[in-house]
Every structure is written in C-alpha cells, then in structure tokens.
Amino acid sequence: MPSNVGRAAALAVTLLVGACAPPGTEDTAVRLLDDPALPPPEVSVSPPPPLRGEPLWTAPFTSEPKAAGSMFIGVAQGSAGERLRFLAVDAEGRTRWATERDPECTGFAIAHDPRDGSEPVVLLDKEKDPEGGLLATRTTASAFAPDDGERVWGPVDVPGTLVGPGLIFAAVQGSVMSDRTGPKVALDPATGAVIAAEERGETPLHEYRGLVLTRSADTLRAIDSTGGTLWEHTDLEVPALWEGPGVRVGPGPRPTDGTTAAVSLEWTDETDRPLGYSVHDLGTGDLLLTLAASRSPVLLDAGRGRTVVVASPVDEPESRYAFRLDDAREAPVRLGRVGDDERPRALVASTLYLAGEGSHRALDVRTGATGEEGWRDSGEPPVAALEDGPAIMGVETTDRTRVFTALATDRT
C-alpha cells in the first residue's frame, strides 16, 4: 500500500549511510550496496509517450534524479538539515551505491568525459578548512563513475556551488536563488583540473566535454582543456543581415537543462538594440542557426552531442520551430512548428514535452513526429530515462504523496 511504500522508502534511505573521506586518505566515500527495488506505488496514471504500462518500482529519491551510464543518480533526504544521501539505482530499481554529503550540497552534474564518452557524476561537499579556523569550511567537487561509484577524480577545491552550464562553479551571493555570483571556475570533466578561472581574467560561461566558452574585457573565445584557443568572436561568420559598423556579439541565453554542444550568442547594434541570435558549434565556432530577435531561443541537450533549439528563424520571425542540431557538418533538422504559447517543459527519452494553454504535446526529436495523445492526463513529463531502460516520472499516490516511479518506454 502507499503508506507501506513510504515507510519502506524511508527505511531504505536510513540504511544508506556512507562515510566521507578527507583528501588524501583511503577512499571510503562510497558504500557499495545491492538493496532490492521498492514495490511500485499505487497510482492511477496515464503515462505520456513514449512511456507505457504500469509503474515498475518506486524510486527512493526525494528530488528529481538524472540518468548517467546504466544508473539513475539522485538525492534522498529525510528531515531538513539531515545529511544528503546520493544514490545510484539501476534499471531494475536496485540501489547499487550511496554516498553522504553536506545538506547544503544538493547540486550535482552529469559530466561528459571527451576521452571515452563516459558520464562521471560530479558531487559537491563541504569539508573543514584547518587553515581557516575552527568553523571554517571549504567546498570541494569530486567525480564518480556512475555504474560502480569508483572515484574518477577529486576532491578539488571550488569557490562555491555548481552554477553551470557544465562544470562551472561559483560562490552565490545572498540567497541560493540569487543571480549574483562570485568568481567562477570551470573544471575539466576528465581530470578535475581548472580550465578557466575568473580570477585569471576570463569568466567561464559554458563548459561541455572540456571545451569552455569564456569572456574577458574585450574578447569572447572558446578554449580547450589546455587553455588553447579554439576560436574567438572575431573569427565568427557575421550573419549577412547584421553586417555593418558597430555590430557587437555577446553570450546569448543559457541552456535550460544543463549543458549543450552548441552555444547561443546575441548580436546587437551600436545602441545595444538586439538584432538577433545565432547558434554555434562550441568546438569550432561554425554557424548553425541564425535566429530572429522576436523570441529568445531555448537550447536543450538531446544527448550524444545533439542539441534541440526552440526559436524563431530570421525568415519567419513571427513563427517558432523546434530544430535538431546533430553536427556542424550537417544542416539543422527542422522538427516542427511550436505554438506561440507553448514552452518546452522537458527533453527526456528523445521526446520534447511542450506545454501551452490547452495544449500538451510530445514531439519525437528523432523524427519530428507528434503523437496523437498528449500528456495532460499524466500531470507532468518524465524527468530522466536510461538509454535502454525505463524512465523516471513523478506521480501522486492515492494518499496524495508525491513519489518517483519507473515506467517502461517503447525502447524497453
């Protein structure tokens, strides 16, 4: 019953205790487990496409998990102020490893290692700082292999929380909801080394696979993990519509769901009036899309280096479309029109979930097909999916408790 599921989840979370290892000691930060799956919740739900069937098992997370490798990675926390427990749960719902973290360190990222395509899980922690006094702490970041919890690198000192896109960290000033940040750093997902730091004169703006877009006083440039220049804004192809004296370019809107292989830039005239946006390959600077200024573009990660962009093309500034960008050598794929009031809610299992007034659509970003059935009855879209496994979705049980559950997809 739902109440029993809740008690079982709480018991499972209580038992998942791991010690935190200080730097330089034997790594005991991760505890290997083989805890059985929790029974599925009692719910009445119509799964959105491509999900199907009845719930398979209850996920032991208290906030939205992410998919990495063959695991779902997420947080389980009891009462406010208790230490966090990050859990790795496989496709069958079995918890395979866990690690404890400071309750302030809720942010985590799935990084992209350019060497082998692996997806290390990057977690934060707070540790005592013996050089700063009795109560002083320092924030560190460490990376773990998702499938077995093996430490890949770290702990590495960072100035504060994860602010992204990618492995960009900064001290947030004021509340956690503040947009003001202190000096930023970008880390290499392969080694944890610092690629760019604001205190060195360049502000990191976007990291993906060890490539970083940075901005200094007069230069916008992309660099590799060694700090070598890939391209600068002066190398970019200026869209023909905007050529002229006084035209400037700067960073555009950030991706909405992590990090992407493409970056958006904003073009303005000498009076700072927006002219439009462009989307470029982060690694090469190649121009992929030229967009109108009528609506800010929305960038989402579609996996495997693909990016989905919802925006207005310059030749149809009053319309909006979803585009898929596969590679700088290939033309963008126009997937379909997006309504003026529709906004992207999630991109999970190769499906873009759009919500508008009276409209809930699921758009397949592989084919551009829109299913006849929407996802209004589901209440919300899924939050994560394994490549060859189930998806995780938040549901409300019969006793109005919100839990996360796994459902099969058309690919499983």
Side-chain angles (χ1 to χ4, degrees), residues 31-237:
R31 181 177 180 183
L32 299 180
L33 302 164
D34 189 14
D35 289 353
L38 300 173
E42 288 190 0
V43 295
S44 177
V45 62
S46 300
L51 280 61
R52 57 181 172 79
E54 297 296 322
L56 303 173
W57 38 269
T58 298
F61 306 117
T62 53
S63 61
E64 294 184 2
K66 300 176 182 180
S70 64
M71 298 286 167
F72 293 106
I73 309 294
V75 173
Q77 185 178 28
S79 303
E82 289 186 3
R83 287 184 66 80
L84 301 176
R85 293 176 176 87
F86 281 91
L87 313 178
V89 178
D90 68 16
E92 283 72 46
R94 302 187 72 88
T95 301
R96 295 300 187 176
W97 57 266
T99 183
E100 259 193 6
R101 285 297 185 272
D102 184 277
E104 295 183 18
C105 299
T106 56
F108 70 105
I110 307 303
H112 303 273
D113 190 328
R115 299 172 301 181
D116 56 9
S118 61
E119 299 177 314
V121 181
V122 179
L123 308 179
L124 294 172
D125 203 4
K126 283 187 176 293
E127 301 173 349
K128 291 182 179 180
D129 184 0
E131 298 181 0
L134 183 62
L135 300 179
T137 61
R138 61 191 183 105
T139 302
T140 62
S142 299
F144 301 87
D147 293 346
D148 58 13
E150 181 180 354
R151 189 185 293 264
V152 178
W153 51 258
V156 173
D157 285 345
V158 291
T161 191
L162 181 73
V163 297
L167 297 189
I168 297 181
F169 303 82
V172 177
Q173 301 174 9
S175 71
V176 294
M177 300 300 292
S178 174
D179 290 331
R180 296 175 300 156
T181 61
K184 296 180 179 180
V185 301
L187 300 186
D188 184 345
T191 65
V194 174
I195 299 175
E198 190 167 355
E199 292 181 336
R200 299 177 183 173
E202 283 189 301
T203 302
L205 303 175
H206 187 121
E207 181 278 324
Y208 181 78
R209 292 186 177 176
L211 309 181
V212 181
L213 180 68
T214 70
R215 179 177 56 186
S216 60
D218 56 1
T219 303
L220 190 70
R221 71 173 186 142
I223 60 177
D224 61 20
S225 60
T226 69
T229 299
L230 299 170
W231 54 267
E232 296 186 358
H233 72 276
T234 53
D235 302 324
L236 296 178
E237 174 188 350

Side-chain angles (χ1 to χ4, degrees), residues 328-344:
R329 295 164 295 185
E330 300 179 17
V333 177
R334 185 175 293 200
L335 297 169
R337 188 161 182 167
V338 176
D340 290 340
D341 67 332
E342 288 184 320
R343 59 190 179 92

Side-chain angles (χ1 to χ4, degrees), residues 243-404:
E243 289 181 342
V247 174
R248 291 176 290 210
V249 64
R254 294 158 45 101
T256 62
D257 63 343
T259 187
T260 52
V263 294
S264 67
L265 303 179
E266 182 182 40
W267 298 79
T268 58
D269 64 14
E270 57 189 357
T271 65
D272 288 333
R273 179 178 64 91
L275 299 173
Y277 302 93
S278 58
V279 179
H280 299 257
D281 182 285
L282 176 58
T284 65
D286 290 343
L287 178 64
L288 306 178
L289 281 173
T290 306
L291 305 170
S294 51
R295 296 283 288 266
S296 296
V298 177
L299 275 66
L300 305 104
D301 178 35
R304 296 186 176 182
R306 299 176 303 173
T307 303
V308 167
V309 180
V310 177
S312 300
V314 288
D315 56 345
E316 294 186 59
E318 302 305 317
S319 301
R320 296 170 74 217
Y321 291 89
F323 299 88
R324 191 187 74 234
L325 310 178
D326 293 333
D327 190 282
R329 295 164 295 185
E330 300 179 17
V333 177
R334 185 175 293 200
L335 297 169
R337 188 161 182 167
V338 176
D340 290 340
D341 67 332
E342 288 184 320
R343 59 190 179 92
R345 281 285 305 275
L347 177 51
V348 178
S350 298
T351 303
L352 175 63
Y353 295 91
L354 299 162
E357 186 176 349
S359 171
H360 287 69
R361 292 195 298 137
L363 177 67
D364 190 327
V365 301
R366 297 166 300 181
T367 64
T370 300
E372 294 182 1
E373 54 182 324
W375 52 275
R376 175 189 294 275
D377 295 340
S378 310
E380 56 186 275
V383 298
L386 297 179
E387 185 170 346
D388 296 312
I392 297 289
M393 176 179 164
V395 296
E396 189 176 272
T397 65
T398 53
D399 65 355
R400 295 188 173 278
T401 301
R402 187 173 186 270
V403 299
F404 293 98

